[in-house]
Amino acid sequence: MAKTKISLKLLKNKAQKEMLQAKDLKDLDIVFKKYLGDEGEVTLVLRSLKKLPKTKKAKIGKEANELKNFLKIKFAEAAAALKEKAQKEAELKEWFDITVPGEKVAFGHLHPLTLVQRKCEEIFQFMGFSIIEGPEMEEEWYNFDALNIPKNHPARDLWDTFYLKNGLLLRTHTSPVQIRYMEKNQPPLRIIAPGRVFRHEATDSSHEVNFYQVEGLMIGRDISVANFKAIIQEFFRRFFSKDVEIRLRPSYFPFVEPGFEIDIKWGDQWMEIMGAGMVHPNVLKNAGLNPSDWQGFAFGMGLDRLAMIKYKVDDVRLFYSGDLRFLNQF
Ligand code: PHE
């Protein structure tokens, strides 16, 4: 009996020690089975009780059962502790340091052509012009015929474009917006029409298959070239934030008469920046206006050209390259 008693005490210490050494629930389960499993050491002691005399059986049986219950509780406690430990470790893995400086969110910004377009809109709006848009996919009538460029007229060669399967074409300039607007609105009027235009031509550092223009149109009873000059002079002064010398050079566009090209003095060079002129009587007629009642000027300016001068960009293709090394500079 003394021997059994000693072995029960030993079992208790051993089991407890091993329980504490268990690193995880799997380890603990092995220890549990070793003592309380079907073939476990405590289980075997209990099973061997049958062979003992009655008096001893009661005493040792009681002690062995107490040990069994004690160990069960201890196992449950150890299991709970291990579970908690595992959970804490998992939480620790997710833990983060809120004092570490965050990663900067990269903000985008407007494209240089958009910046230039918005600046133009702001200046012209200030001078009483409304901003009007027209379709990029245009009818031949608006892009050519109504602008006094009949079929087979050699001037069409100046504006070769992409003809679409649906019978429309990609507009070669913003001038069709003149017609569309005059059809629906009675003079006096002042509008600008910014937008994308297309040309079927080879690209180089100053030509792209698509680019941006701002069309201008001012019609009234007695609008003259003098009005045009004053307005455009003021526009450039505001756009470049300084006085800019301009000159008008005679030129030909079928939809104006007289027509001219406007150059601005940049450094010691004259740069061609827009086409303009007094709206041709045929154009007024095509838009439903009586040329003996109304007159005015129109101009078409290349936004890309303007942006190239303002930002000193030497290749128009950069605007359409999507190259961040270029775009990040604006
Ligand atoms: N539409 C012409 C072009 O694209 C520019 C222009 C507009 C000229 C208005 C005169 C008047 O070349």
Side-chain angles (χ1 to χ4, degrees):
M1 182 201 152
K3 204 175 150 210
T4 318
K5 196 162 187 179
I6 290 166
S7 64
L8 282 180
K9 205 165 163 141
L10 267 176
L11 272 182
K12 186 178 173 179
N13 289 341
K14 227 165 43 133
Q16 266 187 292
K17 200 174 146 207
E18 283 173 31
M19 245 188 272
L20 289 175
Q21 281 166 351
K23 280 192 289 299
D24 52 30
L25 288 170
K26 229 167 120 192
D27 271 5
L28 188 66
D29 193 50
I30 293 169
V31 180
F32 181 90
K33 283 192 179 127
K34 183 169 167 198
Y35 294 96
L36 297 177
D38 278 350
E39 299 297 320
E41 295 186 36
V42 178
T43 313
L44 290 179
V45 171
L46 283 165
R47 213 176 281 157
S48 66
L49 287 175
K50 281 182 257 165
K51 295 172 202 153
L52 293 177
K54 235 184 187 162
T55 47
K56 279 187 184 174
K57 198 199 261 177
K59 193 158 185 291
I60 296 176
K62 192 175 166 244
E63 282 174 7
N65 265 316
E66 271 169 13
L67 176 59
K68 182 178 151 189
N69 291 332
F70 173 81
L71 286 179
K72 269 191 176 164
I73 292 168
K74 286 293 162 193
F75 272 115
E77 281 174 10
L82 282 174
K83 247 185 224 164
E84 206 184 325
K85 194 177 127 209
Q87 205 176 329
K88 277 219 176 106
E89 272 167 7
E91 274 168 18
L92 262 180
K93 266 186 209 154
E94 275 179 38
W95 181 85
F96 58 91
D97 183 354
I98 57 166
T99 67
V100 170
E103 248 176 64
K104 260 214 179 120
V105 177
F107 278 103
H109 59 80
L110 294 175
H111 189 278
L113 290 176
T114 310
L115 291 172
V116 166
Q117 182 179 328
R118 293 211 179 163
K119 186 74 188 165
C120 291
E121 291 174 357
E122 186 193 308
I123 297 170
F124 279 109
Q125 260 180 318
F126 176 83
M127 296 194 282
F129 285 72
S130 303
I131 297 160
I132 304 300
E133 288 191 324
E136 290 173 0
M137 219 163 48
E138 189 52 283
E139 288 171 35
E140 203 172 331
W141 166 256
Y142 288 109
N143 196 80
F144 292 123
D145 307 74
L147 289 167
N148 206 27
I149 317 172
K151 264 192 190 58
N152 306 322
H153 190 288
R156 283 215 181 184
D157 291 348
L158 295 173
W159 293 279
D160 194 12
T161 189
F162 300 94
Y163 290 84
L164 306 174
K165 287 199 178 118
N166 60 8
L168 301 176
L169 52 81
L170 296 181
R171 66 176 179 188
T172 58
H173 46 186
T174 42
S175 300
V177 187
Q178 290 183 31
I179 311 289
R180 285 181 176 274
Y181 191 78
M182 286 190 285
E183 273 177 350
K184 298 213 172 81
N185 297 275
Q186 272 299 307
L189 55 87
R190 302 173 209 200
I191 58 157
I192 59 161
R196 191 179 184 188
V197 300
F198 307 82
R199 300 272 166 101
H200 186 192
E201 58 188 13
T203 62
D204 61 34
S205 62
S206 53
H207 294 87
E208 251 297 358
V209 287
N210 70 177
F211 54 101
Y212 284 79
Q213 284 189 333
V214 180
E215 191 78 10
L217 177 70
M218 183 166 180
I219 304 287
R221 297 279 178 207
D222 51 11
I223 303 299
S224 69
V225 176
N227 297 120
F228 167 73
K229 227 186 141 179
I231 281 178
I232 223 61
Q233 186 88 59
E234 180 61 13
F235 166 75
F236 284 126
R237 200 178 65 77
R238 287 176 183 265
F239 186 83
F240 292 111
S241 307
K242 64 175 183 192
D243 281 320
V244 180
E245 213 183 317
I246 64 170
R247 77 176 178 194
L248 274 58
R249 233 174 343 107
S251 184
Y252 171 71
F253 300 96
F255 32 93
V256 288
E257 180 58 37
F260 25 83
E261 210 94 51
I262 288 80
D263 301 334
I264 60 171
K265 187 116 186 235
W266 205 250
D268 50 8
Q269 264 190 65
W270 286 103
M271 315 254 283
E272 184 184 313
I273 194 91
M274 64 166 85
M278 294 301 288
V279 178
H280 196 287
N282 288 349
V283 172
L284 293 170
K285 262 186 250 163
N286 288 335
L289 297 181
N290 185 344
S292 47
D293 292 341
W294 305 106
Q295 65 177 49
F297 64 79
F299 63 85
M301 172 165 54
L303 272 182
D304 305 65
R305 185 64 68 83
L306 218 49
M308 285 171 82
I309 296 172
K310 188 175 174 106
Y311 299 123
K312 302 188 172 68
V313 175
D314 59 6
D315 193 325
V316 67
R317 293 168 293 193
L318 283 166
F319 291 129
Y320 306 95
S321 65
D323 189 336
L324 288 177
R325 289 170 305 179
F326 171 71
L327 293 174
N328 280 339
Q329 299 177 59
F330 296 92

